[in-house]
Amino acid sequence: MPLHEYIKKRDLKVSPEPLHKKKSKSPKKTSPLMFVVQEHHASHLHYDFRLELNGVLKSWAIPKGISLDPKVKRLAVEVEDHPLSYGHFEGVIPQGQYGAGTVRIWDTGTWEPVGSARQGLKKGHLEFKLRGKKLFGSWVLIKTQRAAGKKSQWLLIKKSDEYARPHEISKSA
Ligand code: MN
């Protein structure tokens, strides 16, 4: 039940957030995988980074947003899987609801794992390429030893390539 935690945290009768039941997909699905970054003005502004995998969106909350500087490691706290339909969601989560505040799509496009995504997630070292409107090129998510409560902490890092911007402080605004 990959979306159990997503459903448990929300009152989807009150919140406009989507829930589309996972459709049974051909395991041979060849269409590109989606990614999305959502700017989420909740109690603290953060950026939700989501990668489509196995019929859900694997999700991380990035408090400081995404940096194009390969020297900058941005904390990315792993959060619950989200339904694929969440990748198109923009709107206002009502006060009193989980994650109350405005959600806007900051960037979206397709992604491609380098090697096996499943193994990358398991071993805590996931390399991938993004093709978005703002974000391109090679990236890596590296799991750290620390955990925030029971949530795993990762670092999102831009790899050096022609899309890196070594001296930029932040691309989060
Ligand atoms: Mn969020």
Side-chain angles (χ1 to χ4, degrees):
M1 285 244 288
L3 295 176
H4 175 75
E5 198 182 340
Y6 175 87
I7 294 162
K8 199 175 69 181
K9 283 185 168 173
R10 292 168 173 81
D11 184 347
L12 295 170
K13 290 191 196 83
V14 178
S15 174
E17 293 167 291
L19 177 60
H20 291 170
K21 287 262 164 64
K22 188 179 158 186
K23 287 179 195 136
S24 53
K25 271 189 206 138
S26 159
K28 285 180 186 159
K29 181 187 179 219
T30 52
S31 58
L33 298 165
M34 84 166 302
F35 87 90
V36 65
V37 181
Q38 280 153 321
E39 184 181 330
H40 187 178
H41 294 260
S43 50
H44 297 280
L45 170 65
H46 60 274
Y47 291 76
D48 290 303
F49 182 69
R50 311 189 197 280
L51 298 174
E52 176 185 359
L53 191 68
N54 301 326
V56 296
L57 294 171
K58 306 303 291 182
S59 297
W60 292 262
I62 304 181
K64 291 187 173 174
I66 290 165
S67 174
L68 300 180
D69 183 344
K71 290 206 176 83
V72 175
K73 302 173 168 78
R74 282 289 157 84
L75 173 66
V77 179
E78 190 176 340
V79 298
E80 73 276 16
D81 294 347
H82 279 51
L84 285 185
S85 49
Y86 209 95
H88 305 287
F89 174 69
E90 291 189 299
V92 178
I93 301 167
Q95 286 307 313
Q97 297 299 304
Y98 179 71
T102 303
V103 176
R104 271 193 227 106
I105 293 176
W106 183 82
D107 194 21
T108 188
T110 62
W111 79 284
E112 199 184 311
V114 176
S116 160
R118 194 186 295 256
Q119 280 180 25
L121 283 173
K122 205 169 153 191
K123 71 178 182 199
H125 189 109
L126 177 65
E127 280 190 50
F128 54 94
K129 291 183 178 177
L130 297 178
R131 195 176 293 125
K133 296 186 180 80
K134 295 177 180 164
L135 302 176
F136 292 91
S138 299
W139 299 77
V140 63
L141 269 165
I142 297 170
K143 199 174 190 173
T144 72
Q145 295 305 313
R146 281 190 220 154
K150 57 182 180 174
K151 290 176 173 171
S152 297
Q153 294 192 10
W154 299 66
L155 299 169
L156 177 65
I157 307 165
K158 180 76 194 80
K159 297 196 82 177
S160 292
D161 61 15
E162 69 267 40
Y163 301 109
R165 295 291 176 268
H167 302 295
E168 254 177 55
I169 293 167
S170 174
K171 256 292 175 191
S172 64

